[in-house]
Amino acid sequence: MHVPINKLPPELLGDILRRTLPPAHGNLTYDDYPEDIHTVATWRRSITTLLQVCGYWRTILLNMASLWSIIDMSSDLPWSLGCLERSGNAPLDVFLQYPLNERQCAPLLSQGHRIRALHLDIPRPYRAEIPTDLPMFLPTVPNLESLLIATRCYLWDGEQPPLDLADCPLVFQNPPPNLKKLVLYSPCWFPGGIQLHQLTHLLISCNMSCDRHSLLALIRQSPLLEQLILAEVFIDGPDEPSSGTAPMIHLPRLRHFTLRVDNTVSTAHCMLEHLQIPSTATVRIVGREAFHVFEVMMPRSFPFTEKFNTLVVEGTHSHVAIEATGPSSGLVISISKNQHSTSIYDQGFARGILAWLIPCKNIKSVTISSVRCDRALELLPESLSPLTLRLMDRGSYSFDPRFEEMKIDSYKALLRGIARFQEVTELHIWSSYLALNPPIRSLERYTFYHVHAQSVRKVALRQYPCHKPTLDTHADFDFVDKASYPVLGLGPPKDSGWYGWW
């Protein structure tokens, strides 16, 4: 049944229109610092466009209190005052820019109980200052749940002092808020008056150094953490694990733990050595030095990996993501191509680290998705004996005779890689090339998905003749034409939630 959009109930139409708006709560990513700390301006332009469509839409939008709960007191004050008035009793998401003044903070003094999220932007000229006047302007916010403090600075900014976790200027008046989420981007100070024992989400991305003991003490005081993200946080000291004299940090509720390591692995070593990761957590390590995190930690064992039974490898010419998962835990290692390496697959220690890190005898399912599946197979330890093998050959094949010899070599190398796993009973292959004749004696079921290759312009290319191969076994064979690659979604976090991280 088709219904004209303006015949929909106002509540339903309003919800549809709200979902078309871009998020206004942040645009921070894991690898760069954007020009704009948030996207409130984009959100405002979008809602203004919707208001001008027709009078019916305008009436619906103006009466949606939750739509006007984003208050940006750092730019267009008349617009923000209008939003504050239309928001009714809805929880508020407030954006402020330092230095604060009475003009932008006075309208909020009577609305402090409604503020659920506060975003404080520190412009670059103030990046080295310790703000001591924040309690003079900020209202009492007893119901505040999330706080973002972002300092505008560049990587390796020589004028940016290191993060001093001991210098904790007060941010709020008493009583302290019941804060759950705390995000600090490139700070040189830590907000004081925060009840760390109530935090459930903590993100620190600073690209600068901080004291090892202070960082461990900070995390130890946050036992309720469910998500912990440390992106390029450099701790003072060498890049080797410490002596282990400090007591272990117990975070029984931890579900997601992410480390970004592009330039140093010292913080990752420190965290993995002192943090007792529960068996229900997923650990994600991303960056150019991701594999080197574990290189000097062998042969230490990690209990949260003991029940892994599935392994996924997703690779391109410049990036490899390896994911091992179990019933309730997981490990993702996402490696970018090192500028000093000719190929991401040249890291010879990868196979040995995986053999030590992952319980190979428990892995029953392996999935490979790569432009060179034969090279991705080389990363797998010899001790793996999966029962199910899935290969997604994303290589670009054409009839150009210059690449014919390379395609044949890759084809043969892939057959050799498959032949390593003689205990496989179920094989699935996605490819735009010829259907393989797998040399596996124990094979019981074989499915080949013929993917029609496309050019950059999304135009279908001429296909290789693909037919049912003559199998050397009695395995059941299925051929699926015009198939598409399954979506795996590994690799660095991309639009995965709060500021690109959760």
PDB file of all heavy atoms in Angstrom, residues 209-223:
ATOM      1  N   SER A 209      52.870  12.882  25.220  1.00  0.00           N
ATOM      2  CA  SER A 209      53.281  11.970  26.289  1.00  0.00           C
ATOM      3  C   SER A 209      52.541  12.271  27.583  1.00  0.00           C
ATOM      4  O   SER A 209      52.032  13.365  27.808  1.00  0.00           O
ATOM      5  CB  SER A 209      54.785  12.092  26.522  1.00  0.00           C
ATOM      6  OG  SER A 209      55.116  13.405  26.949  1.00  0.00           O
ATOM      7  N   CYS A 210      52.482  11.233  28.430  1.00  0.00           N
ATOM      8  CA  CYS A 210      51.949  11.393  29.777  1.00  0.00           C
ATOM      9  C   CYS A 210      52.678  10.400  30.678  1.00  0.00           C
ATOM     10  O   CYS A 210      53.358   9.492  30.199  1.00  0.00           O
ATOM     11  CB  CYS A 210      50.437  11.167  29.808  1.00  0.00           C
ATOM     12  SG  CYS A 210      49.925   9.477  29.427  1.00  0.00           S
ATOM     13  N   ASP A 211      52.519  10.572  31.965  1.00  0.00           N
ATOM     14  CA  ASP A 211      53.217   9.738  32.930  1.00  0.00           C
ATOM     15  C   ASP A 211      52.576   8.356  33.023  1.00  0.00           C
ATOM     16  O   ASP A 211      51.344   8.224  33.098  1.00  0.00           O
ATOM     17  CB  ASP A 211      53.199  10.417  34.304  1.00  0.00           C
ATOM     18  CG  ASP A 211      53.895   9.583  35.358  1.00  0.00           C
ATOM     19  OD1 ASP A 211      55.116   9.405  35.259  1.00  0.00           O
ATOM     20  OD2 ASP A 211      53.193   9.108  36.264  1.00  0.00           O
ATOM     21  N   ARG A 212      53.417   7.305  33.007  1.00  0.00           N
ATOM     22  CA  ARG A 212      52.935   5.928  33.063  1.00  0.00           C
ATOM     23  C   ARG A 212      52.109   5.660  34.313  1.00  0.00           C
ATOM     24  O   ARG A 212      50.993   5.126  34.237  1.00  0.00           O
ATOM     25  CB  ARG A 212      54.135   4.972  33.013  1.00  0.00           C
ATOM     26  CG  ARG A 212      53.773   3.511  33.222  1.00  0.00           C
ATOM     27  CD  ARG A 212      55.021   2.688  33.513  1.00  0.00           C
ATOM     28  NE  ARG A 212      55.967   2.741  32.423  1.00  0.00           N
ATOM     29  CZ  ARG A 212      56.033   1.837  31.437  1.00  0.00           C
ATOM     30  NH1 ARG A 212      55.199   0.822  31.429  1.00  0.00           N
ATOM     31  NH2 ARG A 212      56.933   1.946  30.494  1.00  0.00           N
ATOM     32  N   HIS A 213      52.633   6.029  35.469  1.00  0.00           N
ATOM     33  CA  HIS A 213      51.954   5.721  36.725  1.00  0.00           C
ATOM     34  C   HIS A 213      50.644   6.489  36.847  1.00  0.00           C
ATOM     35  O   HIS A 213      49.656   5.964  37.386  1.00  0.00           O
ATOM     36  CB  HIS A 213      52.875   6.015  37.904  1.00  0.00           C
ATOM     37  CG  HIS A 213      54.155   5.236  37.875  1.00  0.00           C
ATOM     38  ND1 HIS A 213      54.188   3.867  38.085  1.00  0.00           N
ATOM     39  CD2 HIS A 213      55.442   5.618  37.634  1.00  0.00           C
ATOM     40  CE1 HIS A 213      55.440   3.442  37.981  1.00  0.00           C
ATOM     41  NE2 HIS A 213      56.214   4.476  37.714  1.00  0.00           N
ATOM     42  N   SER A 214      50.609   7.724  36.342  1.00  0.00           N
ATOM     43  CA  SER A 214      49.380   8.509  36.413  1.00  0.00           C
ATOM     44  C   SER A 214      48.300   7.904  35.524  1.00  0.00           C
ATOM     45  O   SER A 214      47.117   7.870  35.902  1.00  0.00           O
ATOM     46  CB  SER A 214      49.650   9.960  35.995  1.00  0.00           C
ATOM     47  OG  SER A 214      50.585  10.567  36.860  1.00  0.00           O
ATOM     48  N   LEU A 215      48.691   7.407  34.352  1.00  0.00           N
ATOM     49  CA  LEU A 215      47.715   6.798  33.455  1.00  0.00           C
ATOM     50  C   LEU A 215      47.147   5.516  34.056  1.00  0.00           C
ATOM     51  O   LEU A 215      45.931   5.276  34.017  1.00  0.00           O
ATOM     52  CB  LEU A 215      48.363   6.507  32.103  1.00  0.00           C
ATOM     53  CG  LEU A 215      47.456   5.886  31.042  1.00  0.00           C
ATOM     54  CD1 LEU A 215      46.292   6.803  30.721  1.00  0.00           C
ATOM     55  CD2 LEU A 215      48.254   5.568  29.776  1.00  0.00           C
ATOM     56  N   LEU A 216      48.010   4.696  34.632  1.00  0.00           N
ATOM     57  CA  LEU A 216      47.535   3.465  35.272  1.00  0.00           C
ATOM     58  C   LEU A 216      46.631   3.776  36.462  1.00  0.00           C
ATOM     59  O   LEU A 216      45.605   3.110  36.669  1.00  0.00           O
ATOM     60  CB  LEU A 216      48.722   2.624  35.726  1.00  0.00           C
ATOM     61  CG  LEU A 216      49.588   2.007  34.617  1.00  0.00           C
ATOM     62  CD1 LEU A 216      50.792   1.300  35.224  1.00  0.00           C
ATOM     63  CD2 LEU A 216      48.781   1.047  33.773  1.00  0.00           C
ATOM     64  N   ALA A 217      46.985   4.799  37.229  1.00  0.00           N
ATOM     65  CA  ALA A 217      46.160   5.170  38.378  1.00  0.00           C
ATOM     66  C   ALA A 217      44.793   5.668  37.925  1.00  0.00           C
ATOM     67  O   ALA A 217      43.771   5.377  38.568  1.00  0.00           O
ATOM     68  CB  ALA A 217      46.877   6.238  39.211  1.00  0.00           C
ATOM     69  N   LEU A 218      44.765   6.404  36.821  1.00  0.00           N
ATOM     70  CA  LEU A 218      43.499   6.902  36.296  1.00  0.00           C
ATOM     71  C   LEU A 218      42.562   5.755  35.920  1.00  0.00           C
ATOM     72  O   LEU A 218      41.374   5.759  36.277  1.00  0.00           O
ATOM     73  CB  LEU A 218      43.767   7.781  35.069  1.00  0.00           C
ATOM     74  CG  LEU A 218      42.561   8.182  34.228  1.00  0.00           C
ATOM     75  CD1 LEU A 218      41.626   9.080  35.023  1.00  0.00           C
ATOM     76  CD2 LEU A 218      43.010   8.864  32.941  1.00  0.00           C
ATOM     77  N   ILE A 219      43.088   4.768  35.219  1.00  0.00           N
ATOM     78  CA  ILE A 219      42.260   3.637  34.802  1.00  0.00           C
ATOM     79  C   ILE A 219      41.882   2.773  35.998  1.00  0.00           C
ATOM     80  O   ILE A 219      40.767   2.240  36.070  1.00  0.00           O
ATOM     81  CB  ILE A 219      43.004   2.817  33.728  1.00  0.00           C
ATOM     82  CG1 ILE A 219      43.257   3.693  32.499  1.00  0.00           C
ATOM     83  CG2 ILE A 219      42.230   1.569  33.352  1.00  0.00           C
ATOM     84  CD1 ILE A 219      44.076   3.032  31.422  1.00  0.00           C
ATOM     85  N   ARG A 220      42.782   2.650  36.959  1.00  0.00           N
ATOM     86  CA  ARG A 220      42.485   1.842  38.145  1.00  0.00           C
ATOM     87  C   ARG A 220      41.342   2.445  38.953  1.00  0.00           C
ATOM     88  O   ARG A 220      40.587   1.715  39.618  1.00  0.00           O
ATOM     89  CB  ARG A 220      43.745   1.715  39.000  1.00  0.00           C
ATOM     90  CG  ARG A 220      43.581   0.796  40.209  1.00  0.00           C
ATOM     91  CD  ARG A 220      44.884   0.571  40.930  1.00  0.00           C
ATOM     92  NE  ARG A 220      45.764  -0.330  40.188  1.00  0.00           N
ATOM     93  CZ  ARG A 220      46.883   0.055  39.566  1.00  0.00           C
ATOM     94  NH1 ARG A 220      47.259   1.328  39.605  1.00  0.00           N
ATOM     95  NH2 ARG A 220      47.617  -0.809  38.911  1.00  0.00           N
ATOM     96  N   GLN A 221      41.173   3.760  38.894  1.00  0.00           N
ATOM     97  CA  GLN A 221      40.098   4.418  39.622  1.00  0.00           C
ATOM     98  C   GLN A 221      38.770   4.373  38.873  1.00  0.00           C
ATOM     99  O   GLN A 221      37.788   4.950  39.349  1.00  0.00           O
ATOM    100  CB  GLN A 221      40.461   5.875  39.888  1.00  0.00           C
ATOM    101  CG  GLN A 221      41.655   6.060  40.810  1.00  0.00           C
ATOM    102  CD  GLN A 221      42.027   7.519  40.961  1.00  0.00           C
ATOM    103  OE1 GLN A 221      41.233   8.351  41.405  1.00  0.00           O
ATOM    104  NE2 GLN A 221      43.249   7.856  40.577  1.00  0.00           N
ATOM    105  N   SER A 222      38.728   3.705  37.721  1.00  0.00           N
ATOM    106  CA  SER A 222      37.508   3.627  36.912  1.00  0.00           C
ATOM    107  C   SER A 222      37.102   2.165  36.735  1.00  0.00           C
ATOM    108  O   SER A 222      37.141   1.635  35.613  1.00  0.00           O
ATOM    109  CB  SER A 222      37.741   4.299  35.556  1.00  0.00           C
ATOM    110  OG  SER A 222      38.308   5.582  35.706  1.00  0.00           O
ATOM    111  N   PRO A 223      36.691   1.473  37.774  1.00  0.00           N
ATOM    112  CA  PRO A 223      36.440   0.027  37.684  1.00  0.00           C
ATOM    113  C   PRO A 223      35.191  -0.341  36.891  1.00  0.00           C
ATOM    114  O   PRO A 223      35.016  -1.514  36.562  1.00  0.00           O
ATOM    115  CB  PRO A 223      36.304  -0.391  39.153  1.00  0.00           C
ATOM    116  CG  PRO A 223      35.795   0.842  39.841  1.00  0.00           C
ATOM    117  CD  PRO A 223      36.451   1.991  39.136  1.00  0.00           C
TER     118      PRO A 223
END
